[in-house]
Amino acid sequence: EQALVSGIAFNRDEAKVTVVGVPDRPGIAFAILDPVAKANIEVDVIVQNIGKDGMTDFSFTVHRNDLKRTLDILKRVAGEIGAREVVGDDKICKLGLVGVGMRSHVGVASQMFSALASENINIQMVSTSEIKITVVIDEKYMELAVRALHKAFGLDEQVKEQTSL
Amino acid sequence: EQALVSGIAFNRDEAKVTVVGVPDRPGIAFAILDPVAKANIEVDVIVQNIGKDGMTDFSFTVHRNDLKRTLDILKRVAGEIGAREVVGDDKICKLGLVGVGMRSHVGVASQMFSALASENINIQMVSTSEIKITVVIDEKYMELAVRALHKAFGLDEQVKEQTSL
Ligand SMILES: C[C@@H](O)[C@H](N)C(=O)O
Ligand SMILES: C[C@@H](O)[C@H](N)C(=O)O
């Protein structure tokens, strides 16, 4: 299946939050996300990687306006589940490479990572699906990153910033 | 936007690999994925969470048949980039909750996590997009998890296992 990149989505109206050092046992992801859902806070990208020594980190993005409310909830939850700390950052940009046939996207992902590396832009988070590769970077690199990706994938420069959530 | 879960995708023909303790600086994601892409190994879910003390972990899934080849490549790369270790595991099941309107998916995600928690199934990795919430669990819980999710979302039991990649 030939991967076809159809566009680049980007926005800087989100913030990332991470509950650091959560116990890696059943029920913890629910304990973190349920109070956020009950507070009607919309969540976008959710990322959790494998654990080590029985602990892992659990991250997700929310709308910037919801950062403070989310951190307040998570600080309470962190105490209840015995997590180490809660960190948040609203100086981020979420970049998405959208396309069909991403099933064969290892080449596309590596090309995306290469384009960001060539501009010395650090990738803070990665999450993928069949139709999209999403990365979180520092918001200050947004325009530079979007231009680098347009160039790398030969896309038309006319893009407007999308708002999400 | 009312989230609508349309189905559950699941398969146990993948394996997860993680490069543990990679330097969190530009160019590393490319250094990891480029040799994998050049070896024509298809990659599915890619997950990276925020770093700590200048390091992070970088994971992705490949077809089970590619696990050994992937680990061989990554062990070489890990040496070149100064990563701590490379781990792999093919005893996994990838579960995806598919639907539209996932933008409001915090409620859907928390319901999915609750269903898995109620069966005491540990979530090893999480990755999401607008149309899908993907988790990695131990392969031995595949049937139990699929049944629990069908029940939680009121879906028709008739599902057949999908092969991916
Ligand atoms: C960390 C969290 O995902 C935990 N492993 C769970 O299953 O809920
Ligand atoms: C870890 C890796 O993603 C690194 N931050 C990079 O930008 O390549």
Side-chain angles (χ1 to χ4, degrees):
Chain A
E1 205 177 355
Q2 189 47 39
L4 182 76
V5 176
S6 55
I8 295 168
F10 57 97
N11 74 62
R12 53 184 148 196
D13 58 358
E14 290 186 32
K16 66 178 183 183
V17 291
T18 303
V19 187
V20 180
V22 306
D24 191 7
R25 55 159 201 271
I28 294 295
F30 175 65
I32 294 168
L33 225 51
D34 189 52
V36 174
K38 293 219 161 72
N40 281 324
I41 294 173
E42 294 218 342
V43 159
D44 193 18
V45 182
I46 306 172
V47 172
Q48 178 207 321
N49 208 334
I50 64 166
K52 193 170 174 67
D53 305 330
M55 292 194 315
T56 187
D57 299 336
F58 189 89
S59 295
F60 54 89
T61 63
V62 294
H63 198 285
R64 271 197 189 179
N65 304 343
D66 290 327
L67 178 59
K68 173 141 176 32
R69 226 162 36 109
T70 306
L71 289 175
D72 289 346
I73 292 171
L74 294 182
K75 286 188 179 129
R76 178 173 53 72
V77 170
E80 287 162 8
I81 62 175
R84 205 172 331 125
E85 61 174 334
V86 175
V87 292
D89 178 6
D90 61 1
K91 305 263 177 291
I92 65 161
C93 160
K94 196 185 73 176
L95 270 182
L97 203 64
V98 190
V100 290
M102 296 298 249
R103 183 53 76 195
S104 57
H105 63 213
V106 61
V108 170
S110 123
Q111 207 180 341
M112 178 185 196
F113 297 157
S114 167
L116 296 173
S118 67
E119 295 293 351
N120 217 26
I121 297 171
N122 193 50
I123 300 164
Q124 298 178 11
M125 284 168 72
V126 180
S127 174
T128 64
S129 77
E130 281 80 8
I131 59 153
K132 196 171 184 181
I133 300 169
T134 301
V135 297
V136 168
I137 62 171
D138 187 309
E139 70 168 344
K140 70 185 178 201
Y141 296 123
M142 187 172 97
E143 295 80 1
L144 178 64
V146 172
R147 267 197 305 276
L149 291 178
H150 274 115
K151 204 166 124 228
F153 291 98
L155 293 168
D156 182 355
E157 273 289 348
Q158 277 134 44
V159 190
K160 51 172 219 325
E161 187 169 344
Q162 308 187 352
T163 58
S164 70
L165 286 174
Chain B
E1 207 179 348
Q2 191 48 39
L4 184 76
V5 175
S6 55
I8 295 168
F10 58 98
N11 74 63
R12 55 183 147 197
D13 58 0
E14 290 187 30
K16 66 178 183 184
V17 289
T18 303
V19 188
V20 181
V22 305
D24 190 7
R25 57 160 201 270
I28 294 297
F30 175 65
I32 294 169
L33 224 51
D34 189 51
V36 175
K38 294 219 160 76
N40 281 323
I41 295 172
E42 293 216 346
V43 160
D44 193 19
V45 182
I46 306 172
V47 173
Q48 177 206 321
N49 208 335
I50 65 166
K52 193 171 173 65
D53 305 330
M55 291 193 320
T56 189
D57 299 335
F58 190 89
S59 296
F60 55 88
T61 63
V62 294
H63 199 284
R64 273 198 188 178
N65 304 342
D66 291 327
L67 179 58
K68 172 133 179 36
R69 228 163 33 107
T70 306
L71 289 175
D72 289 346
I73 291 170
L74 293 182
K75 286 189 177 125
R76 178 174 52 71
V77 169
E80 288 162 6
I81 62 175
R84 207 174 327 129
E85 62 174 333
V86 175
V87 292
D89 177 6
D90 62 0
K91 304 263 178 290
I92 64 162
C93 159
K94 197 185 74 175
L95 270 182
L97 204 64
V98 190
V100 289
M102 296 299 249
R103 182 54 72 195
S104 57
H105 64 208
V106 60
V108 171
S110 117
Q111 207 180 341
M112 179 185 195
F113 298 157
S114 167
L116 296 173
S118 67
E119 296 292 353
N120 217 26
I121 297 171
N122 193 50
I123 299 165
Q124 298 178 11
M125 285 168 73
V126 180
S127 174
T128 65
S129 75
E130 280 81 9
I131 58 152
K132 196 171 183 181
I133 301 170
T134 301
V135 298
V136 168
I137 61 170
D138 188 309
E139 70 169 342
K140 70 184 178 201
Y141 296 123
M142 187 172 94
E143 295 80 3
L144 179 63
V146 171
R147 268 196 305 276
L149 291 178
H150 274 114
K151 204 167 125 227
F153 292 98
L155 293 167
D156 181 354
E157 273 290 350
Q158 276 135 43
V159 189
K160 51 173 218 322
E161 188 169 341
Q162 306 186 353
T163 59
S164 71
L165 288 176

